[in-house]
Amino acid sequence: MKTIKQNIHFLDEELLNAVNPIRVNVIGAGGTGSKFMTCLMEINHSLIELGHPGLQVHLWDDDIISGTNIGRQRFAESERGLNKSVAIINRLNRWSGTNWKAETQKFQRDIDGKIPENAGASIYVSCTDTVASRFEIAEIIKQLNKQYSYRRDSAKYWLDLGNTKYSGQAILATVDKINQPDSKKFKTFDTLPSIIYEYGTLMTEAEPEDDTPSCSMAESLQKQDLFINASLAQMGASLLWNLFLFGMIENRGFFHNLKNFQTKPIAVGS
């Protein structure tokens, strides 16, 4: 009987055996991003305890904390009026002794089409609200990868986290092919497709018409369940953590529904 090999993606060797902290860009510091940052702090601490150099995180967001953000997002009343990325980065740096950076701007091209300085990273995590922003992120990552493919922190992975009122998804993609080791036990995949590649057309058609900011906590909760962002952030972080902890993954993402408490994994190779 022929044995069926399990589909696996192995972590890029430069990240697995890194000698310097891995540069991570988190894009968006709202409901999901603000909570994902706490998860990254825990991942960073755990990696260092295991002998890995850990992470160097830059958080991109130009938004200011308002009363609507307090409660559902990870912000305190005392932080009202501060920039979101600055508030989160200052808090985490004080907590864990890191030297992570706040980028008080959107991760997008300027009016002249120029990419923001210091935008390069090995891992990108998008926690944005719109389909347009995801297309923009995909184009910027693609361009940066062409320009700086020789650099130590050249783009390797893009993890996208997105949600509606009760459901969401996390999809981990490779920016380019990742060399895979020879394996007699596993069927390896050097490429993981992005959310744009797989669902770009569907995402555009499903773009909600009303993307205006909420004016109150009550209005905000009409658009998104109280815990969808937190549960998505935790599970998305777990996907990234497993990739580092075991050096390989069999699932490249998941679809998550908090209303019926069901989660469907997306297998590597599917």
Side-chain angles (χ1 to χ4, degrees), residues 37-69:
M37 288 296 296
T38 303
C39 299
L40 280 184
M41 179 188 70
E42 296 168 351
I43 290 176
N44 178 65
H45 177 81
S46 300
L47 285 174
I48 292 173
E49 289 294 306
L50 293 173
H52 190 281
L55 310 174
Q56 174 60 32
V57 181
H58 287 227
L59 177 60
W60 297 74
D61 200 305
D62 69 335
D63 200 10
I64 302 299
I65 301 168
S66 66
T68 310
N69 307 135

Side-chain angles (χ1 to χ4, degrees), residues 39-250:
C39 299
L40 280 184
M41 179 188 70
E42 296 168 351
I43 290 176
N44 178 65
H45 177 81
S46 300
L47 285 174
I48 292 173
E49 289 294 306
L50 293 173
H52 190 281
L55 310 174
Q56 174 60 32
V57 181
H58 287 227
L59 177 60
W60 297 74
D61 200 305
D62 69 335
D63 200 10
I64 302 299
I65 301 168
S66 66
T68 310
N69 307 135
I70 298 167
R72 193 178 63 82
Q73 300 180 17
R74 190 144 291 169
F75 299 108
E77 180 63 39
S78 60
E79 295 172 320
R80 185 193 291 257
L82 298 178
N83 179 275
K84 287 183 176 181
S85 59
V86 171
I88 292 173
I89 290 296
N90 285 345
R91 187 194 316 151
L92 295 182
N93 283 344
R94 288 195 300 267
W95 181 280
S96 57
T98 50
N99 188 30
W100 292 359
K101 305 297 183 182
E103 304 288 351
T104 57
Q105 59 181 312
K106 290 183 178 180
F107 191 84
Q108 64 182 27
R109 292 181 176 85
D110 63 19
I111 193 171
D112 297 319
K114 294 181 179 179
I115 294 174
E117 294 183 5
N118 205 28
S122 295
I123 300 174
Y124 295 81
V125 182
S126 52
C127 308
T128 59
D129 295 329
T130 67
V131 171
S133 66
R134 287 173 168 81
F135 279 95
E136 176 83 354
I137 291 167
E139 287 300 317
I140 291 176
I141 293 174
K142 182 179 179 181
Q143 183 173 336
L144 286 171
N145 194 45
K146 288 182 178 179
Q147 292 177 348
Y148 305 113
S149 59
Y150 60 89
R151 288 175 47 170
R152 175 180 59 82
D153 60 353
S154 61
K156 305 292 186 183
Y157 295 97
W158 173 23
L159 174 62
D160 179 72
L161 306 173
N163 67 280
T164 56
K165 184 173 183 178
Y166 292 110
S167 61
Q169 78 286 326
I171 296 180
L172 179 68
T174 55
V175 176
D176 209 340
K177 290 183 178 180
I178 303 294
N179 290 331
Q180 300 288 288
D182 295 330
S183 176
K184 294 181 179 180
K185 183 178 180 181
F186 302 112
K187 182 179 180 181
T188 60
F189 287 77
D190 58 11
T191 302
L192 305 177
S194 72
I195 189 170
I196 299 297
Y197 178 85
E198 289 196 295
Y199 305 107
T201 302
L202 292 175
M203 289 164 57
T204 302
E205 294 174 351
E207 176 82 85
E209 294 182 4
D210 181 14
D211 61 352
T212 56
S214 302
C215 297
S216 67
M217 178 68 170
E219 184 179 345
S220 178
L221 290 173
Q222 291 297 317
K223 295 182 178 181
Q224 296 188 44
D225 181 75
L226 181 59
F227 291 109
I228 183 60
N229 299 115
S231 60
L232 187 63
Q234 288 281 338
M235 294 182 66
S238 180
L239 174 63
L240 195 61
W241 167 242
N242 286 332
L243 182 60
F244 277 102
L245 181 62
F246 301 111
M248 61 183 186
I249 50 172
E250 60 183 285

